[in-house]
Amino acid sequence: MTEELSFQVLDASYEVIGGEPKVLLWSRLHDGRRAALIYEGFRPYFYVILEDEADPGLVAEAVKRVSKPSSPIVSVDVVERLYYGSPVKALKITTVVPASVRVYREEVGELPGVRGVLEADIRFALRFLIDKNIYPMRWYVARAEKAQNPGYYGIRDVYIVKSEIEEDPGKVNVDPLEGLRILAFDIEVYNPRKTPDPKRDPIIMVGLSSYPGSGEPTIIEAEGGDARLIRAFVEEVKKLDPDIIVGYNQNRFDWPYLMERAKIHGITLDVGRKRGGTPQSSAYGHISIPGRLNVDLLDFAMEIGEVKVKSLDEVADYMGVMPKEKRVLLEWWQIGEYWADPGKRRILRDYLRDDVVSTMGLALKFLPFGAQMSQISGLPLDQVMTASVGYRLEWRLMREAYKRGELVPSREERGEETYEGAIVLEPKPGIHGNVAVLDFASMYPNIMVKYNVGPDTLIKPGEDYEGEVNIAPEVGHKFRVDPPGFFKKTLERFLKWRKEIKKAMEKTPKDSPEYRLLDERQKAIKVLANASYGYMGWLSARWYCRECAEAVTAWGRNLIKSAIKKARELGLNVIYGDTDSLFVSYEPSKIEALISYVEGELGFDIKVDKVYSKVFFTEAKKRYVGLTIEGKIDVVGFEAVRGDWSDLAKDTQATVAELVLKTGCTSKAVEYVRDVIRMLREGVINMDKLVIWKTITRRLEEYKAEQPHITAARVMIKSGIRVEPGVKIGYVITKGSGPLYTRAKPYFMANPEDIDVEYYVDKQVIPAALRILGYFGITEKQLKAGGAQRSLLDYFGKKTM
DNA sequence: TTAGGTCGGGG
DNA sequence: GTGTACGACCTAA
């Protein structure tokens, strides 16, 4: 007996049962139950395209002959498809067991008459979602029958789908996260020798917070080893039964550590939704948990360019989730000490609580965008943010291709090919007052649409084409005007869709949940549309097209040149320009005229993005500091030093940035750097500030190149300290001769008088300072010139170094 | 210069 | 699982 179900698809997987593949749609039902919907009868397939002279019937016969009983080739059909827009005859080869495709594609690829194998590298569960037009996080309806023997899957509610699956029209604009349960977790591990070793160091605490919920995390502490803690953790996860599990870098730390500890104790870490559903390591460090969406929030953080150090406390601070000054901050090497000391253990607990609360806070900030990205790209939420924008666009393109009957090109290994990029004007160095920044809206996608750019519309060299063409300036590549190509069609849909959403947003109250939903959706569409140009120039792209990317930048250069020429004719002072933005003197009426020229004559949208009351340029491109009329400081192109520099370098750079921006000149900052150098040479800077941390990622004998942290690691091993992959090595550079790596020593084995002070001056302090001061023409010489002897209290107040 | 190797986040 | 990131930065040649 079937019933009508409305369900939200969270994830898809498959199992081969009785020799037949069954697709599992992990879903939430309209009544709130979580269920697995089983789809039977969908079979793996792939295509071959043939040599021109090959006889399809003969090749089909040859294909059938490679069939194996373990997974027979059940059909070989001659089908009409498009390949790069042109009709082709192809063979569609269908088999039974998904894993057998890998074997068949090799054998079939070798057969005479076969030009190539296509679509044999698409994961089965995603293949199903593409073909059935199912997008994760969206709602669908279907008729289904409750399974008689759900125990087989180890899931309580199992339905067998008995109809086609259609989108639920009533739930297009509902918040996909509404009603889903989220679990945030974090573990702390014992690290008496600084670096924890999962083989011997137990997990000491685990914190869990669920949403919806009180907001106060549950904290489980280890008592006499961590076996009970791990069991309690598994029970807690099962009890909370979350749809989404979030953590921060849990894919590389918490899960692997838990998995290793569970293995040692012989505990089954079955935190998934099906029986025995343990975390599974999959592609490039991702970990999947059956029936739940395991989302690492670090993946979202990696996309925030403004935050250079992606630690949880920094990112939570930046996102307004938890200010750094309002939380407990411990350095990682202090964890063991705080655990061992009963008087300090409470602080460790608070530290864990703050980490868990921050993690949940970040989840609530990030997941709405992730859910939209999932709904639009078609990738499940646990994969979509792990994937680069190129992959996200590509999965959507594969869906567009399927609908058009286009065959998906295979991924190919390609050597580097360079081409000319965008125009970046030489900035006029100095300080400029009242500057407007004009931006072309979605310049590259609009170029692609206007000139019908794409691999399928490109006229290849030597190709005869009589029809009308768009010719790219400078490079001369030609694109058919008609019919609209694959990229043009797809991008037009994106641009139109986004426009409709923007229109709907105007009619929606700004503080409503619906507004937020629409805003995240339009952002996700924008990300995909803007990725299209970069995608065509990405060497691993299935629809790679160097000429296309080259043509797009050529049209872009042409466009901005025309705008610059017009701006100058109008009497505007053009200060700087990069790709699709122009910095001009802020003269509203002339800018108005420029905008109407660009819109009317050139046919592109341009708008005033911001106005700076002051902006500093040096001769360096892509780097400037601006003060907006709202009083905000924009530092663009300035790269803060990475997490693996010494604290001294990081502190120096932060202070230099602050002094320059606050005083508007460099003299104070230069004096400050000179004082830091002087203090270094006098040996009054604490050695802790000089430690550089780097991680060992493999066994020492596997390293091909000598590096400082490897040398330091070898010294540690000699003195009996265990060093394994994952260990972070803290080292300092000591005096002596020879390459840098010979002079690295573990920080706890070095004496302050051994420190190679000049290394820290030349390779740490000065480069860090010059990242900023260099833009203002300050040289290494000037910083080393040893200036006025002044008290550091002038800069730091009571802060000590 | 280029080529080729390593790393991030976590504790 | 019909598969395997990416971009910045380092050292060595």
Side-chain angles (χ1 to χ4, degrees):
Chain A
M1 203 183 63
T2 66
E3 54 187 299
E4 172 103 351
L5 291 182
S6 173
F7 57 97
Q8 182 187 26
V9 175
L10 302 177
D11 200 3
S13 60
Y14 78 94
E15 286 181 21
V16 178
I17 295 169
E20 284 281 333
K22 319 245 178 188
V23 177
L24 277 74
L25 295 175
W26 298 95
S27 307
R28 159 172 57 150
L29 306 185
H30 56 282
D31 59 13
R33 278 179 301 150
R34 273 55 174 176
L37 274 64
I38 311 291
Y39 194 99
E40 298 171 326
F42 184 75
R43 286 181 160 164
Y45 66 87
F46 62 99
Y47 294 100
V48 297
I49 44 172
L50 306 174
E51 305 281 6
D52 291 338
E53 66 280 7
D55 177 334
L58 287 179
V59 180
E61 286 309 313
V63 170
K64 283 177 190 159
R65 283 196 292 273
V66 305
S67 178
K68 292 173 183 53
S70 57
S71 174
I73 290 174
V74 291
S75 63
V76 182
D77 301 308
V78 182
V79 293
E80 297 284 338
R81 291 289 185 272
L82 299 169
Y83 192 46
Y84 290 107
S86 307
V88 289
K89 264 201 176 53
L91 298 180
K92 183 181 176 184
I93 299 160
T94 307
T95 181
V96 181
V97 178
S100 70
V101 170
R102 251 150 66 187
V103 181
Y104 284 135
R105 75 178 171 212
E106 301 301 325
E107 292 183 24
V108 169
E110 300 292 311
L111 295 175
V114 170
R115 182 147 68 97
V117 174
L118 292 175
E119 307 201 10
D121 55 356
I122 299 167
R123 274 140 57 200
F124 185 63
L126 277 165
R127 169 89 272 173
F128 175 82
L129 295 181
I130 291 172
D131 289 18
K132 300 294 172 188
N133 203 26
I134 296 169
Y135 287 80
M137 303 310 283
R138 297 197 200 183
W139 285 83
Y140 294 87
V141 285
R143 295 204 67 84
E145 190 178 272
K146 192 118 199 237
Q148 295 305 308
N149 187 16
Y152 193 90
Y153 295 94
I155 308 157
R156 198 177 54 203
D157 286 308
V158 177
Y159 285 87
I160 315 293
V161 178
K162 295 289 181 186
S163 71
E164 285 308 303
I165 298 169
E166 307 282 349
E167 184 148 21
D168 187 338
K171 295 208 175 98
V172 172
N173 282 331
V174 302
D175 176 1
L177 295 171
E178 175 70 41
L180 291 184
R181 291 190 292 271
I182 306 169
L183 166 69
F185 85 105
D186 185 30
I187 66 170
E188 303 300 331
V189 308
Y190 191 49
N191 57 347
R193 284 172 313 286
K194 315 290 185 204
T195 296
D197 171 5
K199 293 222 163 46
R200 57 188 297 173
D201 297 325
I203 299 168
I204 50 184
M205 287 184 187
V206 56
L208 305 95
S209 173
S210 61
Y211 180 90
S214 69
E216 190 56 37
T218 301
I219 290 180
I220 303 166
E221 289 185 35
E223 291 162 45
D226 54 359
R228 275 162 68 177
L229 175 145
I230 294 167
R231 288 201 182 90
F233 170 73
V234 172
E235 284 318 303
E236 193 66 19
V237 174
K238 284 184 183 167
K239 192 183 93 193
L240 295 167
D241 190 24
D243 303 297
I244 303 171
I245 299 181
V246 298
Y248 200 80
N249 198 31
Q250 85 270 34
N251 283 345
R252 282 176 197 275
F253 185 76
D254 303 57
W255 283 127
Y257 210 98
L258 274 160
M259 286 153 78
E260 180 78 33
R261 294 299 299 167
K263 201 171 119 196
I264 286 168
H265 294 303
I267 299 170
T268 308
L269 202 62
D270 54 342
V271 289
R273 271 201 165 126
K274 67 175 185 185
R275 192 177 46 226
T278 56
Q280 303 293 317
S281 311
S282 63
Y284 49 94
H286 176 74
I287 288 182
S288 59
I289 295 178
R292 309 191 198 278
L293 297 162
N294 174 52
V295 179
D296 191 337
L297 298 172
L298 175 60
D299 291 333
F300 290 84
M302 294 310 279
E303 295 198 1
I304 310 172
E306 292 87 342
V307 189
K308 304 294 176 197
V309 177
K310 315 284 193 192
S311 55
L312 176 56
D313 54 306
E314 292 287 349
V315 173
D317 183 77
Y318 176 81
M319 293 301 294
V321 161
M322 185 174 285
K324 269 207 306 189
E325 61 276 13
K326 285 198 178 153
R327 59 157 298 162
V328 177
L329 273 177
L330 290 183
E331 295 294 345
W332 63 270
W333 62 84
Q334 300 175 300
I335 306 282
E337 175 193 330
Y338 274 68
W339 170 256
D341 182 344
K344 288 181 175 169
R345 197 175 280 191
R346 198 180 50 80
I347 300 172
L348 180 61
R349 211 176 290 135
D350 291 346
Y351 166 75
L352 172 61
R353 184 200 59 208
D354 287 348
D355 270 1
V356 175
V357 171
S358 300
T359 303
M360 181 59 85
L362 286 180
L364 299 180
K365 291 267 181 193
F366 288 147
L367 288 178
F369 176 74
Q372 288 308 314
M373 211 24 134
S374 186
Q375 285 196 342
I376 286 158
S377 67
L379 280 167
L381 181 64
D382 65 335
Q383 289 173 39
V384 73
M385 297 310 290
T386 315
S388 67
V389 282
Y391 279 107
R392 291 179 215 163
L393 174 64
E394 190 162 77
W395 282 107
R396 176 69 195 218
L397 290 175
M398 285 160 72
R399 287 171 181 263
E400 300 294 327
Y402 179 82
K403 279 186 237 168
R404 293 163 64 102
E406 271 279 346
L407 293 171
V408 176
S410 297
R411 226 174 265 298
E412 281 173 41
E413 289 272 323
R414 295 186 184 91
E416 195 150 1
E417 295 181 280
T418 54
Y419 57 90
E420 200 178 338
I423 280 197
V424 187
L425 294 187
E426 293 288 343
K428 293 185 176 170
I431 303 167
H432 305 271
N434 292 322
V435 173
V437 184
L438 289 146
D439 270 343
F440 281 92
S442 302
M443 185 203 247
Y444 285 168
N446 280 310
I447 286 173
M448 288 172 68
V449 168
K450 182 162 182 175
Y451 301 112
N452 200 18
V453 179
D456 52 342
T457 53
L458 173 73
I459 315 279
K460 280 143 209 94
E463 186 183 332
D464 256 350
Y465 185 73
E466 299 290 305
E468 205 185 334
V469 292
N470 295 310
I471 304 173
E474 300 174 48
V475 293
H477 302 314
K478 293 177 191 157
F479 299 89
R480 288 196 315 262
V481 170
D482 277 315
F486 179 48
F487 275 87
K488 174 169 176 164
K489 277 281 199 186
T490 306
L491 281 173
E492 270 180 338
R493 278 175 57 162
F494 281 157
L495 297 174
K496 187 173 157 240
W497 190 6
R498 185 157 175 256
K499 230 176 222 168
E500 285 166 6
I501 294 169
K502 288 242 176 183
K503 218 172 176 182
M505 285 169 71
E506 285 169 21
K507 294 184 210 139
T508 313
K510 273 203 163 65
D511 49 2
S512 66
E514 200 193 342
Y515 185 91
R516 166 113 203 245
L517 171 88
L518 294 172
D519 194 34
E520 301 290 3
R521 188 170 288 170
Q522 68 86 14
K523 270 193 262 173
I525 297 167
K526 185 182 174 180
V527 167
L528 287 196
N530 286 346
S532 54
Y533 150 72
Y535 175 81
M536 294 188 307
W538 174 39
L539 291 170
S540 308
R542 290 173 185 272
W543 281 278
Y544 173 74
C545 177
R546 196 206 79 236
E547 294 90 341
C548 301
E550 203 167 50
V552 169
T553 56
W555 264 304
R557 291 192 297 273
N558 206 41
L559 198 52
I560 199 156
K561 275 189 210 158
S562 309
I564 290 167
K565 188 159 166 266
K566 186 68 182 182
R568 288 190 176 135
E569 281 168 20
L570 288 163
L572 285 163
N573 182 16
V574 178
I575 293 144
Y576 180 63
D578 182 358
T579 315
D580 56 358
S581 69
L582 269 187
F583 290 58
V584 299
S585 47
Y586 184 47
E587 298 172 72
S589 63
K590 291 178 187 173
I591 287 174
E592 204 62 24
L594 177 62
I595 290 173
S596 58
Y597 165 79
V598 171
E599 287 176 354
E601 305 288 312
L602 304 179
F604 284 84
D605 284 342
I606 195 169
K607 60 175 183 0
V608 176
D609 187 47
K610 57 177 80 180
V611 179
Y612 288 122
S613 58
K614 254 187 195 173
V615 59
F616 300 85
F617 276 102
T618 64
E619 63 286 347
K621 291 175 173 183
K622 292 185 182 288
R623 286 166 181 175
Y624 57 90
V625 185
L627 179 65
T628 67
I629 43 174
E630 295 87 21
K632 202 175 136 273
I633 285 167
D634 276 347
V635 187
V636 177
F638 153 86
E639 282 207 6
V641 289
R642 290 159 42 122
D644 55 6
W645 284 53
S646 65
D647 279 358
L648 179 70
K650 286 191 262 187
D651 292 351
T652 303
Q653 190 177 61
T655 310
V656 163
E658 200 179 324
L659 288 171
V660 168
L661 299 179
K662 275 194 180 156
T663 63
C665 71
T666 56
S667 57
K668 276 252 164 38
V670 170
E671 283 172 31
Y672 163 72
V673 177
R674 287 172 178 168
D675 283 336
V676 172
I677 293 171
R678 183 179 51 76
M679 285 173 64
L680 245 179
R681 287 178 173 155
E682 285 171 6
V684 295
I685 287 177
N686 191 331
M687 208 172 69
D688 285 356
K689 294 277 174 196
L690 307 182
V691 179
I692 299 161
W693 294 94
K694 280 205 174 161
T695 311
I696 301 274
T697 54
R698 57 185 70 179
R699 294 204 311 277
L700 290 191
E701 57 271 25
E702 291 173 48
Y703 281 93
K704 287 176 187 152
E706 286 297 338
Q707 290 176 86
H709 69 299
I710 307 300
T711 312
R714 287 193 219 283
V715 176
M716 284 164 69
I717 286 179
K718 248 187 201 166
S719 66
I721 300 171
R722 258 177 95 152
V723 176
E724 287 189 335
V727 168
K728 208 166 216 170
I729 306 292
Y731 65 89
V732 291
I733 300 297
T734 58
K735 285 177 199 153
S737 56
L740 190 64
Y741 64 83
T742 60
R743 296 188 279 123
K745 264 199 183 162
Y747 73 100
F748 49 88
M749 294 185 185
N751 294 315
E753 57 270 22
D754 299 336
I755 296 294
D756 182 358
V757 166
E758 293 312 308
Y759 167 81
Y760 285 93
V761 171
D762 292 333
K763 302 292 182 187
Q764 294 272 326
V765 173
I766 287 181
L770 285 180
R771 291 272 170 115
I772 304 160
L773 293 175
Y775 311 152
F776 297 91
I778 304 292
T779 61
E780 184 172 344
K781 246 186 196 162
Q782 284 168 276
L783 293 179
K784 279 176 136 177
Q789 305 287 302
R790 59 177 55 235
S791 160
L792 275 188
L793 293 177
D794 290 357
Y795 313 103
F796 290 107
K798 282 194 223 80
K799 210 159 50 163
T800 51
M801 292 213 60

